[in-house]
């Protein structure tokens, strides 16, 4: 049974996680069994290649929230954030020329996104980001999730935060060469 999950360094019981998942995913729970909660958490953790999902992940799991009872922006706001990340990413892909720039690629990308987001006061306010330190964490964690949060990473993150006794098998046609059975 999936009984507890850690979010932001705090442990929450299944009922709290299920309530939070409705806000976090923007969808009602199909039913109140623990396997649906596992699927919901995995949906939040697997973000590779999507700025929208990666920014949602950074907001939910990496920014400091005192509890699970907080205002979670809707997908439209995360789509707006994703546009800013994608513009900076596309620009970097088009303009990177030297090996030195390639070696510093991620740092340059994060710097460019920071500059772009610093001019987005309304957007930052809606995300509850009020200082440069929180903005830096948000940007770094979004970029990391974009590049690293594949199925394997999502499963590892889930298993690190989950408590209970259950089996888990994760597989997908998108990562057909990888499978994890626990």
């Amino acid at each position: 049974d999936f009984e507890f999950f850690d979010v932001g360094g705090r442990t929450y019981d299944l009922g709290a996680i299920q309530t939070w998942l409705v806000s976090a995913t923007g969808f009602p729970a199909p039913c109140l069994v623990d396997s649906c909660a596992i699927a919901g958490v995995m949906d939040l953790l697997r973000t590779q290649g999507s700025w929208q999902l990666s920014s949602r992940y950074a907001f939910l799991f990496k920014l400091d929230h005192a509890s699970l009872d907080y205002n979670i922006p809707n997908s439209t706001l995360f789509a707006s954030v994703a546009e800013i990340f994608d513009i900076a990413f596309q620009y970097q892909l088009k303009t990177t020329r030297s090996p030195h720039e390639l070696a510093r690629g991620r740092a340059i990308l994060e710097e460019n996104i920071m500059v772009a987001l610093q001019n987005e006061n309304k957007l930052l306010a809606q995300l509850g980001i009020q200082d440069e330190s929180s903005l830096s964490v948000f940007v770094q964690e979004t970029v990391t999730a974009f590049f690293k949060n594949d199925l394997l990473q999502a499963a590892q993150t889930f298993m690190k935060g989950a408590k209970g006794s259950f089996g888990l098998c994760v597989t997908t046609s998108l990562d057909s060469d990888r499978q994890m059975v626990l």
Side-chain angles (χ1 to χ4, degrees), residues 87-105:
I87 289 168
F89 183 57
Q90 295 301 323
Y91 175 78
Q92 184 166 341
L93 289 174
K94 290 177 187 170
T95 61
T96 301
R97 301 282 183 245
S98 73
H100 175 71
E101 286 176 336
L102 283 174
R104 288 200 59 239

Side-chain angles (χ1 to χ4, degrees), residues 58 62-63 85 106 110-111 113-114 117-118 124 129-144:
K62 300 302 180 175
L63 294 182
F85 277 80
R106 184 174 165 157
E110 289 173 1
E111 289 168 18
I113 293 168
M114 285 283 294
L117 283 173
Q118 286 171 340
L124 294 177
I129 297 174
Q130 301 174 349
D131 57 62
E132 191 161 331
S133 175
S134 295
L135 178 59
S136 180
V137 167
F138 178 72
V139 169
Q140 290 172 4
E141 295 295 342
T142 299
V143 171
T144 297

Side-chain angles (χ1 to χ4, degrees), residues 119-179:
N119 297 321
E120 298 289 339
N121 295 332
K122 182 179 176 185
L123 192 79
L124 294 177
Q126 291 175 300
L127 290 169
I129 297 174
Q130 301 174 349
D131 57 62
E132 191 161 331
S133 175
S134 295
L135 178 59
S136 180
V137 167
F138 178 72
V139 169
Q140 290 172 4
E141 295 295 342
T142 299
V143 171
T144 297
F146 179 83
F147 288 112
K148 302 244 181 201
N149 282 19
D150 64 358
L151 181 62
L152 179 61
Q153 180 64 42
Q156 289 172 334
T157 302
F158 175 79
M159 293 306 294
K160 184 178 177 186
K163 293 172 181 57
S165 57
F166 52 87
L168 181 67
C169 176
V170 289
T171 186
T172 176
S173 61
L174 297 174
D175 291 330
S176 59
D177 62 325
R178 297 173 133 183
Q179 186 174 48

Side-chain angles (χ1 to χ4, degrees), residues 1-75:
D1 292 333
F2 177 38
E3 297 173 7
F4 301 94
F5 191 70
D6 294 339
V7 179
R10 295 171 185 87
T11 302
Y12 298 96
D13 69 20
L14 177 61
I17 293 296
Q18 288 171 318
T19 300
W20 175 72
L21 282 169
V22 172
S23 298
T25 63
F27 295 100
C31 62
L32 295 178
V33 298
D34 62 345
S35 57
C36 285
I38 292 171
V41 172
M42 288 295 292
D43 183 60
L44 297 176
L45 296 174
R46 183 169 186 203
T47 68
Q48 186 180 49
S50 170
W51 290 117
Q52 183 173 349
L53 299 179
S54 295
S55 63
R56 179 182 70 178
Y57 166 85
F59 175 84
L60 294 171
F61 293 101
K62 300 302 180 175
L63 294 182
D64 189 29
H65 304 287
S67 72
L68 294 182
D69 187 25
Y70 58 91
N71 195 18
I72 299 174
N74 63 29
S75 62

